[in-house]
Amino acid sequence: MTAQDVTRHGPGTGPEEIRAVVLRYLARYVDDVAVLDRERLISDGWLDSLAAIGLVAHLERSFGLEVGDEDLELTNFDSLDAVTALVVRKLAG
Amino acid sequence: MSGPDLAQARRLADQLLQPDPGPALGTLVATRHGGLGLSHALHGEVCRLVAETSPSRQALLTVHAMVCRAVGRWGSEELRDRRLPDLATGRTVAAFALSEENAGSDVRSLAIECRPTDDGWELTGEKQWITYGLEADVLLVFAGTERGPLAALVDTSAPGVEVRACPRTSGFAEARLASVRFDRCRVPHDQVVGRVGSGLAHVAADALTLGRLSIAFASWGLARAALRAATQRAVGRHQFGGPLHERQLVRGLLADASVAVDAAQELCRRAARSIDEAGEWLQHDVLTAKLAASRAAATAAATAAQLHGAAGLLEGSPVDVMVRDARVYEVIEGNTQLLQDLVAGQVLARHRSGEDL
Ligand SMILES: Cc1cc2nc3c(=O)[nH]c(=O)nc-3n(C[C@H](O)[C@H](O)[C@H](O)COP(=O)(O)OP(=O)(O)OC[C@H]3O[C@@H](n4cnc5c(N)ncnc54)[C@H](O)[C@@H]3O)c2cc1C
């Protein structure tokens, strides 16, 4: 799956698909994807700040949404479930 | 880069070299907030042009643009409306206060104290190495809190803020470096940029990406200026019955510096395009440009100094200043070894993504 393949998921995209897109992105930054089931990916240092800031850009590109300051609570980005939930909320408007 | 674009970049660079740069400081700020709304490609050219003359001065644009970027990207609408118009026009000068005595490359070890109060936060502790801190009206300060890292604007005129000159550094000697001591300095909630907890992972990381792009272009500018000085010397200085450039080993130095300068140019422009087009691998492109361009600056400056012989060792001579400034580029916004580490991380990420390198 290449970067091009994961772009342009719009409104109506289901949570499973969203989760898969996020997982594919985060998997770039770990050797063992099992790590990504953890709760505190950023605050415990499993992902560094480049991965974190890259994730914001990746979500914006992949789902055509805008991440604003109100979304920036770290809890929105600290686990796969949290990121998925954030995207679901934002796509629902 | 088109002719009119370059002409605009030249005009802005000239303004930035004046004592009061004014609106030229608003390169990347959106026009609706009174800025110039330039592309990163054009901002980069401005950085490059200013650094060809003065890396110390260019540093002002780097840090000011980083703070503008943080406020513009992550500030609340109210904060943006309140602060950006004055930042965009240079009425307010901003600096970036991340480093501390024990937090250099490793910014997770921030130690400055930041306690919650009824209406915000209270800062106590010290920040150092703040470029243009002596001139700044406002600082973007990073601190750890019980709820994670925080980024906030702190006015240097606020009670409990003491700005002092930092001992003069050999490179960036004119960059007005300051140390700042905070003593129970109050920071109201409405000065916070982004959210508590995201100060490093998002606000700082994003600003540093722009910082790295700006430093990459500045390094390319310094490298160009150094290659020019080296070439002039190779043509003008005669030894052994002819100009230095007739010596094959001198030609080797010039060739290697020239290759480094050209590579820096292409990598800088690619990185800027990558940001402007929100490219999938923009971090990789920016890190690569910064690493390569800062090394190009070091290579070209060393060549220029070497070809100047004893004259190149005169303290404060143009090529001596280039060598010192080039050293700074290999230390700030991620030192060379840290950048190698991060570039390798991107190489691995691309490999894991299945994308061909
Ligand atoms: C002229 C100048 C201007 C500056 N302006 C600002 C500013 O405006 N705002 C601000 O907040 N800070 C500023 N700084 C501080 C600058 O960001 C730090 O100097 C930089 O982060 C490096 O930190 P350090 O000096 O503590 O070096 P250290 O972190 O102690 O590192 C020393 C050396 O160790 C090696 N090293 C470090 N980390 C690694 C690693 N992960 N892998 C391998 N090797 C490593 C490198 O060779 C590095 O050069 C400025 C510094 C200078 C010199």
Side-chain angles (χ1 to χ4, degrees):
Chain A
M1 170 82 51
T2 68
Q4 283 74 31
D5 293 326
V6 299
T7 52
R8 273 176 285 285
H9 297 259
T13 311
E16 284 312 310
E17 203 179 328
I18 292 168
R19 194 184 157 88
V21 171
V22 177
L23 181 68
R24 262 196 306 276
Y25 172 81
L26 295 179
R28 296 172 178 179
Y29 289 95
V30 294
D31 279 326
D32 177 7
V33 289
V35 157
L36 299 174
D37 289 330
R38 287 174 195 265
E39 284 301 309
R40 293 161 49 90
L41 292 175
I42 296 173
S43 39
D44 282 349
W46 295 102
L47 294 175
D48 69 11
S49 60
L50 276 189
I53 197 67
L55 173 62
V56 170
H58 190 74
L59 296 179
E60 295 189 328
R61 205 168 27 241
S62 301
F63 300 107
L65 48 81
E66 238 176 84
V67 177
D69 77 295
E70 69 281 2
D71 304 313
L72 221 48
E73 300 291 350
L74 198 57
T75 49
N76 282 335
F77 294 94
D78 229 6
S79 71
L80 194 50
D81 287 340
V83 178
T84 306
L86 172 72
V87 175
V88 168
R89 275 201 311 281
K90 295 207 64 99
L91 288 182
Chain B
M1 183 82 6
S2 74
D5 279 352
L6 260 188
Q8 187 187 7
R10 285 224 163 74
R11 269 197 311 278
L12 291 169
D14 286 344
Q15 279 172 36
L16 282 157
L17 290 162
Q18 304 300 314
D20 178 14
L25 279 172
T27 47
L28 293 170
V29 180
T31 48
R32 70 172 183 287
H33 288 118
L36 298 170
L38 301 188
S39 64
H40 290 82
L42 202 43
H43 164 81
E45 297 295 328
V46 177
C47 291
R48 186 261 296 184
L49 287 163
V50 177
E52 282 187 30
T53 302
S54 170
S56 282
R57 189 59 169 171
Q58 191 284 326
L60 169 62
L61 179 57
T62 300
V63 294
H64 187 85
M66 286 165 77
V67 177
C68 290
R69 163 81 193 189
V71 176
R73 178 70 177 89
W74 304 115
S76 67
E77 206 174 327
E78 186 276 327
L79 188 72
R80 278 180 272 158
D81 289 345
R82 178 154 50 85
R83 302 300 307 229
L84 280 178
D86 280 352
L87 286 167
T89 48
R91 274 193 296 272
T92 301
V93 171
F96 192 81
L98 178 58
S99 300
E100 299 175 5
E101 184 173 10
N102 291 315
S105 310
D106 181 8
V107 295
R108 288 167 312 174
S109 42
L110 293 180
I112 189 172
E113 202 178 291
C114 186
R115 280 208 226 122
T117 63
D118 290 344
D119 63 345
W121 302 88
E122 192 182 83
L123 283 175
T124 297
E126 182 146 344
K127 291 284 181 182
Q128 60 184 23
W129 307 118
I130 305 169
T131 295
Y132 270 86
L134 289 177
E135 312 270 327
D137 303 296
V138 64
L139 304 169
L140 182 61
V141 180
F142 297 87
T145 75
E146 55 190 19
R147 290 197 281 130
L150 168 98
L153 292 177
V154 179
D155 292 292
T156 50
S157 59
V161 181
E162 188 199 340
V163 180
R164 278 176 292 114
C166 170
R168 201 176 167 92
T169 47
S170 64
F172 272 30
E174 311 298 330
R176 313 285 292 143
L177 261 64
S179 299
V180 177
R181 163 108 213 130
F182 302 94
D183 185 14
R184 302 191 59 185
C185 170
R186 281 189 49 243
V187 183
H189 284 303
D190 64 6
Q191 295 279 92
V192 171
V193 179
R195 296 289 149 129
V196 182
S198 61
L200 291 180
H202 294 105
V203 183
D206 185 51
L208 282 169
T209 301
L210 174 61
R212 286 171 183 151
L213 182 83
S214 306
I215 295 292
F217 272 94
S219 300
W220 167 34
L222 169 55
R224 266 174 66 106
L227 177 59
R228 211 176 287 138
T231 311
Q232 279 163 0
R233 173 77 177 182
V235 171
R237 176 73 172 169
H238 286 63
Q239 291 288 285
F240 302 100
L244 288 180
H245 74 72
E246 287 180 353
R247 306 274 134 194
Q248 224 173 26
L249 291 175
V250 170
R251 298 173 80 88
L253 286 174
L254 289 178
D256 288 350
S258 165
V259 169
V261 170
D262 283 353
Q265 166 175 327
E266 294 308 315
L267 291 171
C268 284
R269 289 184 169 165
R270 181 181 75 172
R273 248 191 338 267
S274 199
I275 297 186
D276 284 328
E277 294 166 4
E280 181 69 32
W281 295 101
L282 76 87
Q283 292 293 348
H284 191 186
D285 291 341
V286 171
L287 293 164
T288 301
K290 198 288 187 170
L291 181 58
S294 59
R295 284 171 159 173
T299 301
T303 292
Q306 183 65 13
L307 294 185
H308 278 74
L313 283 156
L314 278 180
E315 222 175 300
S317 69
V319 290
D320 176 55
V321 173
M322 286 177 190
V323 170
R324 294 162 177 228
D325 285 337
R327 283 254 299 116
V328 175
Y329 291 148
E330 289 209 63
V331 171
I332 60 170
E333 315 292 350
N335 63 71
T336 293
Q337 289 69 40
L338 179 64
L339 279 182
Q340 288 180 296
D341 188 55
L342 296 175
V343 169
Q346 293 293 301
V347 172
L348 294 171
R350 276 177 108 132
H351 171 76
R352 292 191 191 107
S353 78
E355 189 176 306
D356 227 3
L357 281 172

